[in-house]
C-alpha cells in the first residue's frame, strides 16, 4: 500500500512506553463521579461499623442494668425469705435482734457484690461512642489526604 496512513498496533500489543490509550483518559466529571461513589460507599460502610459497635455497647449496658436489677431483687427477696429463716435459726443461740442483724449483713454483702459487677458492666459500655468506627474514619481520612497530595 502506498500512502501516508500510519498503522498503529492493536491496543493489547502496545508497549507501556507508547503512552496512554484513549480509554485511559477520564473526564473530570467521571473522576468526580467515581470519587463520589467511592466516598458514598465508604460512608455507608463506616455507618454500618458504628451501628454494630453501638449495638454491642448497648448489649453490655443491658447486661449491666440487668445485673443491677438482679441485685435489687436479691436484696428484696432476701429480706423476706432468707432473713426470716436465718433469723429463726440464729435466734436459737442468740437474741432475735442479733440474729436479724447478722442475716441482713450477709444479704447486703451479696447485693453489694452483684451491684459492683453490674456497675463494672455499665462502665465498660460507656462512653456510648463507636470508637473503632471513629478510628477507622480517621484512618480513611488520612489515606484520602495522603492520596490527594500525590
Amino acid at each position: 500500500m502506498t500512502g501516508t496512513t500510519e498503522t498503529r498496533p492493536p491496543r493489547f500489543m502496545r508497549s507501556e512506553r507508547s503512552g496512554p490509550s484513549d480509554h485511559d483518559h477520564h473526564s473530570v466529571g467521571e473522576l468526580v463521579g467515581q470519587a463520589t461513589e467511592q466516598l458514598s460507599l465508604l460512608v455507608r460502610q463506616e455507618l454500618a461499623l458504628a451501628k454494630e459497635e453501638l449495638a454491642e455497647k448497648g448489649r453490655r449496658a443491658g447486661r449491666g442494668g440487668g445485673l443491677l436489677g438482679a441485685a435489687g431483687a436479691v436484696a428484696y427477696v432476701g429480706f423476706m425469705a432468707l432473713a426470716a429463716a436465718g433469723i429463726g435459726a440464729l435466734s436459737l443461740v442468740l437474741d432475735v435482734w442479733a440474729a436479724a442483724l447478722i442475716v441482713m449483713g450477709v444479704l447486703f454483702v451479696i447485693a453489694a457484690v452483684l451491684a459492683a459487677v453490674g456497675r463494672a458492666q455499665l462502665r465498660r459500655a460507656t462512653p456510648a461512642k463507636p470508637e473503632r468506627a471513629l478510628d477507622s474514619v480517621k484512618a480513611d481520612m488520612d489515606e484520602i489526604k495522603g492520596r490527594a497530595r500525590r
Side-chain angles (χ1 to χ4, degrees), residues 38-55:
Q38 290 173 354
L39 188 59
S40 175
L41 175 64
L42 179 63
V43 167
R44 283 194 303 271
Q45 289 172 340
E46 295 298 346
L47 285 174
L49 177 62
K51 181 179 175 182
E52 180 181 322
E53 194 171 347
L54 287 174

Side-chain angles (χ1 to χ4, degrees), residues 80-146:
M80 297 177 112
L82 295 176
I87 292 168
L90 284 176
S91 68
L92 297 175
V93 293
L94 299 171
D95 291 335
V96 173
W97 64 268
L101 284 178
I102 291 171
V103 170
M104 284 190 293
V106 169
L107 293 174
F108 277 135
V109 167
I110 292 170
V113 168
L114 288 173
V117 172
R119 185 175 176 200
Q121 285 289 321
L122 286 174
R123 281 189 176 166
R124 287 180 58 198
T126 57
K129 65 180 181 180
E131 293 164 353
R132 290 190 318 243
L134 290 175
D135 291 342
S136 179
V137 167
K138 288 177 187 174
D140 292 341
M141 293 305 295
D142 290 342
E143 178 69 22
I144 290 169
K145 287 177 185 176

